[in-house]
Each structure stands twice: as C-alpha cells, then as structure tokens.
Amino acid sequence: MYAQMVKSTGTGVKSLDEMDPRERAFQERIDAGEKIEPKDWMPEEYRKTLIRQIGQHAHSEIVGQLPEGNWITRAPTLERKAILLAKVQDEAGHGLYLYCAAETLGVSRDEMTRMLLDGRMKYSSIFNYPTLTWADMGAVGWLVDGAAIMNQVPLQRTSYGPYSRAMIRICKEESFHQRQGFDIMMKMANGTAAQKKMAQDALNRFWYPALMMFGPSDKDSVHSAQSMAWKIKMNTNDELRQKFVDQTVPQAEYLGLTVPDDKLAWNEERGHYDFSEPDWDEFYDVLKGNGPCNRERLAARQKAWDDNQWVRDGLLAHAQKREAMKVAAE
Ligand code: 3HC
C-alpha cells in the first residue's frame, strides 16, 4: 500500500508547501536534526516505515544467528568456539534492542513475529545462503557484518530516538564481529594451501550476496526517497554499496584473496572502484522465498515460536494473576 503510494507519485516525497501544518512542523524538526520520540506526533507513514525497517532489521538479527549457530559445535578450537558463542549471543541482544525500539511505535514483538512467519515482514536476504565450511564464519564476520556496519553506522544518526540509541550499542558490537571475521580470514588465508582455498571459496560465495544486503539499486529502490527525507535512512543503497566495495577490496588484497569480479578496477576519475552489479534476478528470487535456505530458516523460526508457546502462556497467566491480585487488594 505504502509502496504503491510512493511509486504512484514518483519519489512520493511531499515538498514543505504541500504539507499540512502538522506535517510541516514535523519535517522541520527532522531537518533541524531533532530526534522524534515515541510520544511525539508523527505521520502514520513515518510510523509504518519505521516498524517495517526496524522490524525487518530485528528479524535479521535473530535469523542471522542460524547460519553461525550451525558452526558453534564445530568450531576448530575452544577459543574460536567461545568467540563465536559470544557473537551469536550478541545478535540475540541486537534483536531484542530492535524489537523494543519497534514496540515503542505500538506494535508488539508477537505481532512482528507473526508477520515474519506469515510472510508480511522480511529479513535480510543474506541469511538465506548456507554456511558450508569454517571459512564461511570468517567471510560472514568480515563481509556480512562489514556490510551491516556500513549500513548501520549512519543509522546511529537516524531521526527516531529509540532506533538511533539502539544502533549506537549495536554498532560497537558489530565492529568486534567484523574484526573477528577478518581474523579468521587472516588465519585461513595465511594457512595451508587447502585453508587458503577454503577462504577464497567463502569469498567467492559471499561477495555478491553481501553486495545485495544494501538493497536494490537506487533506480529500483521503492522507499529510499521518502525514508531519506525523514532521516529513517541516511544514505542511498548504491552509496553504501560503493563505500563497502571501496573499503573491502584493499582488505581482500591484504589477505591475498581475489574478489570474484572481472570488471573490478580502480577508477581514478571517480575516486572509487568500478564493480559488477549483483544478479538482481537472484536477489528478487531470494526475496520471494526461493533462496537456498529460505524454507529452512523460516521453519526454524516457526519451530521456535511453536515450541515456546508454553512460555508465552505461562508469562501471560502470571501477569493476569498479578493483575487480579492487585485489583482484589484495592
Ligand atoms: N533483504 C531483504 N529485503 C530487502 C533487502 C535485503 N537485503 N534490501 C531491500 N529489501 C526489500 C525492502 O525491504 C523493500 O521491501 P518491502 O517494501 O516489502 O519492505 C524492497 O526490498 C525495496 O527496497 P528499498 O531499497 O526500497 O527498501 P529500504 O528503503 O527499506 O532499504 C535496507 C533496504 C537498506 C535494507 C533498509 O531497510 C535498511 O537500512 N535497514 C536497516 C538495516 C538492516 O535491516 N540490516 C539487516 C542486515 S543484517 C544484520 O544487521 C545482522 C547482523 O548481525 C549482520
């Protein structure tokens, strides 16, 4: 519905003159760099856009535990196991901060989970790819968390207070995640020939899915114009993708690995790397549910939801009993 509204009016962004006085005052607060807090008036579409983006982000953190959780019992050393455990646990925490931020907008975590399970909400495309070897733990930390940070550091300045504050803590932890991934890649890339081959293979498989994390190219992005006007997004998808490529290519060179892109070249005039776009048909196919692991990931979330029904029932019964006791005492 919102997507249609934006599409039907080009960028869909109203000018200040087209806004009613309340909308204009709201936009002026955003333009002045003020934070919007939960009890402040906000346009309904601002609220919905935030729920969509923060909810999708929260689901990504939770689903994102699955490909890495897969390697906790198979980590090569006790130290690597402890580090991976801590990282996966951090992701659960990120999910919680983000669900809490979304709840301040009047949607419950249960509602958001139901929307994920019935397909009304998404999670990041990246987590629909399998983690086949230990080197993938390196590639995920280096590339996936690296791409996440590129997107999330600017979100610390996003206009919605609770989201912005959640992002500050998340970014500190994501930066540790990225470094631990790079550290695994360093060990693998400087190890035996077989280990270096595994590291290269992981880079080959995760490079384009990592580029897709930033979303469709700017010409196809549905929400960017309005989200940027509201400072829900601080940069376009293509700007962040370019920044990620510029930062990551020298790191790949340092590792002695080859980015799987024949067209990759430094463009002196632009001051950026030229690179090949990801296969956008594959991206949209993954979004439709046809990636290698979509069914497995959603089935795992569904199972967790079903298995934990008794916890939700117990908590609800406890809360109802306390409420009844409070009423009886009054
Ligand atoms: N995966 C899944 N869906 C995606 C996507 C991706 N990588 N990129 C875009 N989309 C979807 C959008 O949700 C939108 O669909 P919708 O209208 O049904 O919601 C559609 O594609 C069009 O894309 P737009 O560019 O118009 O959408 P947005 O303005 O929302 O931009 C975004 C997409 C850049 C991902 C933005 O939502 C965003 O910045 N989100 C916050 C960050 C986030 O969600 N990160 C998840 C990364 S993983 C992570 O953080 C876990 C960590 O531990 C690694």
Side-chain angles (χ1 to χ4, degrees), residues 3 52-54 56-58 60-61 64 68 87 91 94 120 122-127 140 144-145 148 151-152 155 163 170 174 177 209 212-217 220-224 227 232-233 237 240 283-284 287:
R52 182 183 61 76
Q53 181 167 315
I54 303 173
Q56 178 171 323
H57 192 167
S60 303
E61 300 283 354
E68 289 182 302
K87 176 182 191 282
E91 309 295 5
H94 298 175
R120 280 176 293 156
K122 295 187 167 81
Y123 59 91
S124 181
S125 50
I126 189 72
F127 301 118
V140 167
V144 175
D145 291 82
N151 171 289
Q152 292 167 14
L155 289 178
Y163 189 24
I170 291 176
E174 291 292 5
H177 296 172
M212 291 175 196
M213 285 175 70
F214 297 96
S217 64
D220 297 318
S221 170
V222 184
H223 304 292
S224 284
S227 290
I232 289 174
K233 256 170 111 160
N237 301 350
L240 292 174
F283 170 75
Y284 286 113
L287 260 55

Side-chain angles (χ1 to χ4, degrees), residues 59-320:
H59 296 321
S60 303
E61 300 283 354
I62 299 299
V63 177
Q65 293 179 103
L66 296 169
E68 289 182 302
N70 180 35
W71 279 91
I72 291 172
T73 53
R74 291 180 284 161
T77 65
L78 185 58
E79 190 190 11
R80 290 288 182 198
K81 188 196 288 272
I83 294 170
L84 187 59
L85 256 176
K87 176 182 191 282
V88 171
Q89 202 173 340
D90 283 352
E91 309 295 5
H94 298 175
L96 287 183
Y97 314 150
L98 290 162
Y99 282 128
C100 289
E103 279 180 326
T104 64
L105 292 153
V107 61
S108 73
R109 184 172 159 188
D110 283 3
E111 270 174 274
M112 284 183 277
T113 306
R114 280 195 204 95
M115 287 197 270
L116 169 73
L117 295 177
D118 69 18
R120 280 176 293 156
M121 282 186 103
K122 295 187 167 81
Y123 59 91
S124 181
S125 50
I126 189 72
F127 301 118
N128 293 306
Y129 291 85
T131 45
L132 303 178
T133 71
W134 174 252
D136 289 8
M137 292 302 93
V140 167
W142 172 39
L143 301 174
V144 175
D145 291 82
I149 298 173
M150 198 53 85
N151 171 289
Q152 292 167 14
V153 164
L155 289 178
Q156 295 176 109
R157 292 180 284 111
T158 191
S159 61
Y160 189 56
Y163 189 24
S164 150
R165 291 188 284 275
M167 291 316 305
I168 292 172
R169 177 146 179 205
I170 291 176
C171 283
K172 288 200 171 103
E173 293 175 352
E174 291 292 5
S175 134
F176 152 74
H177 296 172
Q178 197 266 354
R179 281 168 201 207
Q180 70 83 37
F182 194 73
D183 186 59
I184 294 176
M185 293 306 275
M186 288 268 285
K187 283 278 185 312
M188 302 287 290
N190 293 299
T192 64
Q195 285 171 324
K196 184 163 183 183
K197 200 167 157 217
M198 278 166 73
Q200 181 63 54
D201 175 58
L203 170 57
N204 293 348
R205 283 181 291 105
F206 276 94
W207 176 254
Y208 288 105
L211 295 189
M212 291 175 196
M213 285 175 70
F214 297 96
S217 64
D218 290 353
K219 65 180 171 30
D220 297 318
S221 170
V222 184
H223 304 292
S224 284
Q226 181 62 76
S227 290
M228 286 177 69
W230 277 331
K231 296 190 185 164
I232 289 174
K233 256 170 111 160
M234 308 301 288
N235 302 87
T236 72
N237 301 350
D238 284 339
E239 278 168 13
L240 292 174
R241 195 171 4 253
Q242 179 74 63
K243 231 175 147 187
F244 174 76
V245 171
D246 291 348
Q247 176 183 286
T248 311
V249 169
Q251 294 172 352
E253 281 166 5
Y254 184 77
L255 290 169
L257 300 177
T258 308
V259 172
D261 179 356
D262 293 342
K263 296 205 179 109
L264 185 76
W266 177 254
N267 184 324
E268 198 62 54
E269 208 175 305
R270 289 200 312 122
H272 293 290
Y273 282 96
D274 291 335
F275 61 95
S276 302
E277 295 266 314
D279 176 349
W280 293 117
D281 290 339
E282 177 183 323
F283 170 75
Y284 286 113
D285 211 32
V286 171
L287 260 55
K288 276 191 228 143
N290 300 323
C293 300
N294 292 61
R295 283 168 196 82
E296 188 183 328
R297 301 293 185 239
L298 274 179
R301 294 305 301 131
Q302 183 71 57
K303 184 172 183 312
W305 176 254
D306 295 341
D307 289 353
N308 294 319
Q309 180 66 45
W310 67 274
V311 180
R312 293 191 299 279
D313 290 346
L315 286 172
L316 198 65
H318 180 67
Q320 280 166 348

